[in-house]
Amino acid sequence: MKLKENYQQAVKVFQPKPPYVLNGIKAFFIGGLLCLAGEALQKGYVFLFDMSLLEAQHLMLLTFIFLAIVLTGIGTYDSFSQFAGAGATILITGFANALASAALEHRSEGWITGVANHMFKIGGAVIVYGIVVAYLFGTIHLIF
Amino acid sequence: MRLAGKQTWVFENDVYIQATGTVVGPFEAEGPLGSQFDVTYRDLYCGGKTWELAERRLMKEAIDICLQKANVTADNVDFFLAGDLLNQNVTSNYTARDIPVPFLCMFGACSTSMETLAVGAALVDGEFARTVLTATSSHNATAERQFRYPTELGVQKPKTATFTVTGGAAALIGREKSLFRISAATIGRVIDAGMKNPLDMGSAMAPAAAATIEQHFLDLGASPDDYDLIVTGDLSKVGSVIVKELLSESGYDVATNYNDCGLMIYRPTQGVFAGGSGCACCAVVTYAHLLKEMQQGRFQKILVVATGALLSPTMIQQKQSIPAIAHGVVIEAVRG
């Protein structure tokens, strides 16, 4: 097929395809490893600090959020995400990175018009549709 | 008549590039052309407090170096033409505060370098000005945050994405004889090939580059063999292959004398995906590297085609495609 005849179709042979399988494998193992680390951490907190499982889970999530924000701040989380893909994005660390990176980016426009206004630019969608879906499932649960 | 064919200006009076200035950031300094730029910065802030101030500094410093090399002061220039990528062309407009001469701000996305050079040469050739100062800039972080995502956001970018060059470049155009004569310019048309992926601008811009190059040949009755080098601005790995294919479909073979500035500025190992992009990409590579190559006698006549994706995040979100444009300028080495 000639480019000049049907550019939008013909151009596809020149565009490198994302390595879906490799990306999937990387996301599976890295995401999985992080989840495993989370499990270990929460068991460790229960053992070390003699707390309930629920408290340990909260502390584990806070630890992960804290680490993601620190890595975002020192500029490594984006390189990690480029490598790990969904393995880094869909965990709570990805959400923390979305908020922290937007806040950092807009620090130059001040604490209110910059940081506060822009912080949820990327993460806002997760919150909005998280709540919408929670209501939806809550309603379904109530009816059935 | 100085208009040849439909879109090409032929400069009959002698118009020369008197001097250039190039300033770049850390990634460009690490690239293969690192030693050829006038000033290189080791961090992206380039001594500025914010990314935007860093970019302004790049443009301002490139201008200062350019004027210094030409041994003129800013108030001796007749007109200043500049453009950049940021909304309201802030880098150019704020830089122009310090240059006390009439100013024309231009936007052609990454085609701005050759747009300003072509218009500047036309002003000088038409005797509307004796000397014209042109400048452009781009900054990786200011472009990322305006056109894409926060710089530190973790998203997996595809191989078709490009990496915005951090740099500022300036060129002074005048009648005084120098080694670099601007002999012609082809002004591009806006071409929209219907591409909608903002992370693949090479595919969006290649048809515009091919259209300008073909029109250039048609207008001047020229062929690819008339040039030692035909170079595009920032088509990168993806777009540069497409433009060669488009030209070959039209019967022009550029296999041996074609290159792309976006492929020259970084090493493939620098993690820059498909290559460099941004207003500064074509400008710093041309003004620092290509002119040096001409000076050393490797090229006699080159056609520089700066390519611009006229991208707007709002239009992309409204499912609109990406229009593109390309402007070409012919630079010839004049010896003796």
Side-chain angles (χ1 to χ4, degrees), chain B residues 9 11 13 15-16 81 115-127 132 134 173 182-185 329:
Chain B
W9 295 334
F11 304 120
N13 295 315
V15 182
Y16 298 95
L81 314 182
E115 182 181 13
T116 52
L117 201 67
V119 174
L123 289 177
V124 172
D125 187 65
E127 294 177 7
V132 173
T134 69
I173 310 162
I182 304 173
S183 59
V329 172

Short mmCIF file of all heavy atoms in Angstrom, two decimals, chain B residues 9 11 13 15-16 81 115-127 132 134 173 182-185 329:
data_model
loop_
_atom_site.label_atom_id
_atom_site.label_comp_id
_atom_site.label_asym_id
_atom_site.label_seq_id
_atom_site.Cartn_x
_atom_site.Cartn_y
_atom_site.Cartn_z
N TRP B 9 10.81 31.52 -1.93
CA TRP B 9 11.43 32.82 -2.09
C TRP B 9 12.88 32.61 -2.50
O TRP B 9 13.60 31.84 -1.87
CB TRP B 9 11.44 33.60 -0.77
CG TRP B 9 10.08 33.97 -0.26
CD1 TRP B 9 8.95 34.15 -0.99
CD2 TRP B 9 9.71 34.19 1.11
NE1 TRP B 9 7.90 34.49 -0.18
CE2 TRP B 9 8.33 34.53 1.12
CE3 TRP B 9 10.39 34.17 2.32
CZ2 TRP B 9 7.64 34.81 2.29
CZ3 TRP B 9 9.70 34.46 3.49
CH2 TRP B 9 8.33 34.78 3.47
N PHE B 11 16.36 34.62 -2.75
CA PHE B 11 16.94 35.88 -2.29
C PHE B 11 18.02 36.33 -3.27
O PHE B 11 19.06 35.71 -3.37
CB PHE B 11 17.47 35.72 -0.86
CG PHE B 11 16.42 35.23 0.09
CD1 PHE B 11 16.56 34.04 0.79
CD2 PHE B 11 15.24 35.96 0.25
CE1 PHE B 11 15.55 33.59 1.64
CE2 PHE B 11 14.23 35.51 1.10
CZ PHE B 11 14.39 34.32 1.79
N ASN B 13 19.43 39.48 -3.53
CA ASN B 13 20.51 40.22 -2.89
C ASN B 13 21.24 39.25 -1.97
O ASN B 13 20.69 38.24 -1.56
CB ASN B 13 19.96 41.38 -2.06
CG ASN B 13 19.29 42.40 -2.96
OD1 ASN B 13 19.83 42.77 -3.99
ND2 ASN B 13 18.09 42.82 -2.58
N VAL B 15 22.24 37.73 1.18
CA VAL B 15 21.80 37.71 2.58
C VAL B 15 22.61 36.64 3.30
O VAL B 15 22.71 35.51 2.82
CB VAL B 15 20.29 37.36 2.67
CG1 VAL B 15 19.84 37.40 4.11
CG2 VAL B 15 19.47 38.32 1.82
N TYR B 16 23.18 37.02 4.42
CA TYR B 16 24.08 36.09 5.11
C TYR B 16 23.69 35.89 6.57
O TYR B 16 23.08 36.76 7.18
CB TYR B 16 25.52 36.62 5.10
CG TYR B 16 26.09 36.77 3.71
CD1 TYR B 16 26.04 38.00 3.06
CD2 TYR B 16 26.66 35.68 3.06
CE1 TYR B 16 26.55 38.15 1.78
CE2 TYR B 16 27.19 35.82 1.79
CZ TYR B 16 27.13 37.06 1.15
OH TYR B 16 27.65 37.19 -0.12
N LEU B 81 12.92 38.76 15.52
CA LEU B 81 11.87 37.76 15.26
C LEU B 81 12.14 36.55 16.15
O LEU B 81 13.26 36.03 16.15
CB LEU B 81 11.88 37.28 13.81
CG LEU B 81 11.99 38.28 12.66
CD1 LEU B 81 11.93 37.54 11.33
CD2 LEU B 81 10.85 39.28 12.73
N GLU B 115 11.29 29.28 10.21
CA GLU B 115 10.27 30.29 9.91
C GLU B 115 10.87 31.69 10.15
O GLU B 115 10.77 32.58 9.31
CB GLU B 115 9.04 30.09 10.79
CG GLU B 115 7.91 31.08 10.51
CD GLU B 115 6.70 30.89 11.41
OE1 GLU B 115 6.79 30.16 12.42
OE2 GLU B 115 5.66 31.48 11.10
N THR B 116 11.53 31.86 11.29
CA THR B 116 12.11 33.17 11.60
C THR B 116 13.30 33.46 10.68
O THR B 116 13.47 34.60 10.24
CB THR B 116 12.58 33.25 13.08
OG1 THR B 116 13.42 32.13 13.36
CG2 THR B 116 11.43 33.26 14.04
N LEU B 117 14.06 32.42 10.36
CA LEU B 117 15.23 32.64 9.48
C LEU B 117 14.76 33.04 8.07
O LEU B 117 15.33 33.95 7.46
CB LEU B 117 16.07 31.36 9.41
CG LEU B 117 17.52 31.54 8.98
CD1 LEU B 117 18.32 32.32 10.02
CD2 LEU B 117 18.20 30.19 8.73
N ALA B 118 13.70 32.38 7.57
CA ALA B 118 13.18 32.68 6.23
C ALA B 118 12.61 34.10 6.18
O ALA B 118 12.93 34.88 5.28
CB ALA B 118 12.12 31.66 5.84
N VAL B 119 11.77 34.44 7.16
CA VAL B 119 11.14 35.76 7.16
C VAL B 119 12.21 36.85 7.37
O VAL B 119 12.19 37.90 6.72
CB VAL B 119 10.02 35.84 8.23
CG1 VAL B 119 9.48 37.26 8.34
CG2 VAL B 119 8.90 34.88 7.88
N GLY B 120 13.17 36.56 8.25
CA GLY B 120 14.27 37.51 8.49
C GLY B 120 15.06 37.76 7.21
O GLY B 120 15.37 38.90 6.86
N ALA B 121 15.36 36.68 6.49
CA ALA B 121 16.12 36.81 5.24
C ALA B 121 15.32 37.61 4.21
O ALA B 121 15.87 38.42 3.47
CB ALA B 121 16.47 35.43 4.70
N ALA B 122 13.98 37.38 4.18
CA ALA B 122 13.13 38.11 3.24
C ALA B 122 13.13 39.60 3.56
O ALA B 122 13.17 40.44 2.65
CB ALA B 122 11.72 37.54 3.28
N LEU B 123 13.08 39.94 4.85
CA LEU B 123 13.10 41.35 5.25
C LEU B 123 14.40 42.01 4.82
O LEU B 123 14.40 43.14 4.32
CB LEU B 123 12.93 41.47 6.77
CG LEU B 123 11.55 41.14 7.34
CD1 LEU B 123 11.56 41.23 8.86
CD2 LEU B 123 10.50 42.09 6.78
N VAL B 124 15.50 41.29 5.00
CA VAL B 124 16.80 41.85 4.64
C VAL B 124 16.92 41.95 3.12
O VAL B 124 17.35 42.97 2.57
CB VAL B 124 17.96 41.00 5.24
CG1 VAL B 124 19.31 41.47 4.71
CG2 VAL B 124 17.94 41.07 6.76
N ASP B 125 16.50 40.89 2.43
CA ASP B 125 16.58 40.87 0.97
C ASP B 125 15.72 41.98 0.35
O ASP B 125 16.11 42.62 -0.61
CB ASP B 125 16.13 39.50 0.45
CG ASP B 125 16.36 39.37 -1.04
OD1 ASP B 125 17.54 39.38 -1.46
OD2 ASP B 125 15.38 39.28 -1.80
N GLY B 126 14.55 42.20 0.94
CA GLY B 126 13.64 43.22 0.42
C GLY B 126 13.99 44.61 0.90
O GLY B 126 13.23 45.55 0.66
N GLU B 127 15.09 44.74 1.60
CA GLU B 127 15.56 46.02 2.13
C GLU B 127 14.60 46.66 3.12
O GLU B 127 14.53 47.88 3.25
CB GLU B 127 15.91 46.98 0.99
CG GLU B 127 17.11 46.48 0.19
CD GLU B 127 17.46 47.36 -1.00
OE1 GLU B 127 16.86 48.44 -1.14
OE2 GLU B 127 18.34 46.96 -1.78
N VAL B 132 18.58 41.50 10.98
CA VAL B 132 17.46 40.92 11.70
C VAL B 132 18.01 39.86 12.65
O VAL B 132 18.82 39.03 12.27
CB VAL B 132 16.44 40.27 10.73
CG1 VAL B 132 15.36 39.51 11.51
CG2 VAL B 132 15.80 41.31 9.84
N THR B 134 17.13 36.66 14.94
CA THR B 134 16.10 35.62 15.11
C THR B 134 16.48 34.73 16.29
O THR B 134 17.67 34.51 16.54
CB THR B 134 15.95 34.73 13.87
OG1 THR B 134 17.14 33.93 13.75
CG2 THR B 134 15.75 35.53 12.61
N ILE B 173 20.95 37.88 10.94
CA ILE B 173 20.94 37.90 9.47
C ILE B 173 21.26 39.31 9.00
O ILE B 173 20.73 40.29 9.54
CB ILE B 173 19.55 37.50 8.93
CG1 ILE B 173 19.07 36.20 9.59
CG2 ILE B 173 19.56 37.35 7.42
CD1 ILE B 173 17.59 35.98 9.45
N ILE B 182 22.19 32.75 2.78
CA ILE B 182 20.83 32.19 2.70
C ILE B 182 20.33 32.49 1.30
O ILE B 182 20.16 33.65 0.93
CB ILE B 182 19.90 32.84 3.75
CG1 ILE B 182 20.49 32.68 5.16
CG2 ILE B 182 18.51 32.22 3.69
CD1 ILE B 182 19.72 33.44 6.23
N SER B 183 20.14 31.45 0.49
CA SER B 183 19.84 31.72 -0.91
C SER B 183 18.37 31.54 -1.27
O SER B 183 17.89 32.12 -2.24
CB SER B 183 20.72 30.87 -1.82
OG SER B 183 20.51 29.51 -1.55
N ALA B 184 17.65 30.74 -0.53
CA ALA B 184 16.23 30.54 -0.84
C ALA B 184 15.50 30.01 0.39
O ALA B 184 16.13 29.51 1.33
CB ALA B 184 16.08 29.55 -1.99
N ALA B 185 14.18 30.13 0.36
CA ALA B 185 13.37 29.56 1.45
C ALA B 185 12.03 29.12 0.89
O ALA B 185 11.46 29.80 0.04
CB ALA B 185 13.17 30.60 2.55
N VAL B 329 14.88 26.20 4.45
CA VAL B 329 15.79 27.30 4.11
C VAL B 329 17.05 26.69 3.49
O VAL B 329 17.56 25.69 3.98
CB VAL B 329 16.16 28.12 5.37
CG1 VAL B 329 17.25 29.14 5.06
CG2 VAL B 329 14.93 28.84 5.92
#
